[in-house]
Amino acid sequence: MIRMDRNSNKPSIYIIMSCIMYGSVGVLLNGINGMETGAILFYRFFFGLIGVICFIIATKRYNDLYLSKKKPYMVLRGILNIICLFSYFLSMKYAGVSIAVMLLYTAPVYVTLASPLLFKERISIQSMIALLLSVVGILMLIDPSNITSVGVADNYPLGIFFGIIAGFSNASSSLTIDHLKEDYSGLSLLFWPTLMGMLILSPYAVSVSGQVLLENIWMLLQMGLLLSAVAALIYLNGAVSMKAQKASVLALLEPVSSIFFGYIILNDPLFGNTIKGCGLIMIGAFMISMGDMNFFGSRIHPRLKMRRDLYVSSWRGFPRFHFGNFRRY
């Protein structure tokens, strides 16, 4: 891949481009008709895998596909990836794009909560404030008054439920990546869960008629190639030349772009509490994404900082942790 100077603006442009692409998932999903969530995910994995294989052939990175250690954890990551995507898509269907994407971005809340329990790490004052802001933001998002004009009232709580599951499974996948990253490259962590997801969801492929598939093929191609392959590779191309702190902050453009697309293109309603809740969650995510120095001037434990850099969107394929691990590209 192209090497870029850290002082260049190109890495930031690549991150911004990829986040805008990721933000279009709600629009693409809305353009698919007559297909179950499982079938949509199968073809996303299928076309995404084709794109990743083409990249592997072009770069001759065949050695990255060798499975050596911790194979059960790789399987676990693939399962968590499916759960996250399933829940995220259903949340968008029942509660709208803006609600779903912000609930997905509650992953750092769960990572912060899990760190003291799983890794015996102390939560800093900054983390507690970020956690509190995020929880308040979630409570604003699930305000029952938002039910009016979202859709069928009975389905809105279901959308909230699936959104919370998406955020939790996203965080769990990130913690699994933390266990795998010493033995596998980012390319390997993208290829195998994608292949596994396609195989597990293959029964859904036969449930789609040829006519329905042809009607939706363009949207499915975009969802697979654009999001699961191209956007992930563009993100990686920028991330390897940028500090993780800056990349994590720029990644907050994804929920902004998702909400923008949902409001402008899909006429997704925005409520006062939704905007406030989104703002609080993004502030919390920003605080957790900060570098060694926090708002209060004390240093964050490096292991905990590493885990926080993990949090963002493992469902898209490439984990966002200490990007120095990707310099082999």
Side-chain angles (χ1 to χ4, degrees):
M1 297 183 71
I2 300 173
R3 300 289 183 181
M4 293 174 287
D5 189 344
R6 278 184 178 272
N7 296 322
S8 171
N9 290 324
K10 286 185 178 180
S12 297
I13 294 173
Y14 288 158
I15 297 291
I16 292 171
M17 288 173 56
S18 64
C19 287
I20 292 175
M21 291 181 188
Y22 290 133
S24 67
V25 63
V27 177
L28 295 175
L29 184 62
N30 187 71
I32 298 175
N33 300 306
M35 294 181 64
E36 298 180 29
T37 302
I40 295 173
L41 287 178
F42 168 82
Y43 285 104
R44 170 172 174 160
F45 286 133
F46 176 75
F47 292 120
L49 188 64
I50 291 176
V52 173
I53 290 175
C54 291
F55 173 76
I56 292 172
I57 294 173
T59 57
K60 299 180 180 180
R61 308 249 353 144
Y62 308 111
N63 291 337
D64 283 30
L65 302 184
Y66 177 70
L67 287 173
S68 56
K69 304 176 181 178
K70 303 174 183 177
K71 296 177 184 178
Y73 286 93
M74 186 68 79
V75 174
L76 177 61
R77 164 154 162 71
I79 294 173
L80 289 171
N81 195 38
I82 295 173
I83 294 174
C84 182
L85 275 172
F86 238 110
S87 302
Y88 182 47
F89 281 18
L90 290 174
S91 182
M92 282 192 288
K93 178 180 179 180
Y94 295 133
V97 174
S98 59
I99 301 292
V101 71
M102 292 315 304
L103 289 176
L104 178 71
Y105 261 72
T106 57
V109 176
Y110 304 120
V111 172
T112 302
L113 287 174
S115 293
L117 299 175
L118 298 179
F119 311 111
K120 309 300 181 183
E121 294 169 343
R122 182 178 59 86
I123 298 181
S124 65
I125 296 176
Q126 176 178 317
S127 297
M128 293 301 297
I129 294 175
L131 182 62
L132 178 62
L133 290 175
S134 298
V135 170
V136 173
I138 294 171
L139 293 177
M140 287 185 173
L141 286 182
I142 63 177
D143 184 357
S145 64
N146 293 344
I147 291 178
T148 59
S149 79
V150 168
V152 181
D154 292 340
N155 287 337
Y156 183 76
L158 194 60
I160 297 297
F161 170 77
F162 282 120
I164 293 174
I165 294 297
F168 183 78
S169 55
N170 185 21
S172 301
S173 180
S174 295
L175 294 173
T176 304
I177 290 169
D178 189 24
H179 189 68
L180 292 168
K181 68 184 182 65
E182 297 298 333
D183 301 291
Y184 296 100
S185 68
L187 184 59
S188 180
L189 290 169
L190 173 64
F191 176 83
W192 289 111
T194 302
L195 176 62
M196 189 184 311
M198 187 191 73
L199 294 177
I200 292 175
L201 297 175
S202 57
Y204 285 97
V206 298
S207 66
V208 181
S209 65
Q211 181 179 353
V212 173
L213 181 60
L214 287 176
E215 291 174 355
N216 295 291
I217 192 67
W218 176 236
M219 288 296 181
L220 293 170
L221 277 169
Q222 290 184 78
M223 187 174 288
L225 293 177
L226 183 66
L227 301 185
S228 297
V230 175
L233 295 173
I234 290 177
Y235 180 88
L236 178 61
N237 203 19
V240 294
S241 300
M242 182 184 296
K243 292 182 179 179
Q245 172 190 348
K246 185 176 181 181
S248 296
V249 173
L250 284 175
L252 294 177
L253 290 172
E254 181 187 344
V256 174
S257 64
S258 294
I259 293 171
F260 175 80
F261 285 134
Y263 179 72
I264 298 297
I265 300 177
L266 304 179
N267 296 318
D268 220 12
L270 284 179
F271 308 99
N273 280 346
T274 300
I275 296 174
K276 295 175 184 177
C278 290
L280 289 175
I281 291 175
M282 292 181 67
I283 292 172
F286 173 79
M287 292 175 67
I288 292 176
S289 301
M290 289 185 67
D292 292 337
M293 299 301 293
N294 64 19
F295 285 118
F296 305 101
S298 60
R299 290 190 175 275
I300 298 176
H301 193 283
R303 284 181 64 209
L304 184 55
K305 176 182 178 293
M306 177 183 69
R307 298 187 197 285
R308 290 174 189 173
D309 289 338
L310 270 169
Y311 79 87
V312 213
S313 294
S314 60
W315 60 273
R316 64 185 53 161
F318 283 105
R320 299 180 184 180
F321 50 78
H322 290 286
F323 296 112
N325 293 326
F326 290 131
R327 295 192 185 283
R328 66 191 70 173
Y329 282 89

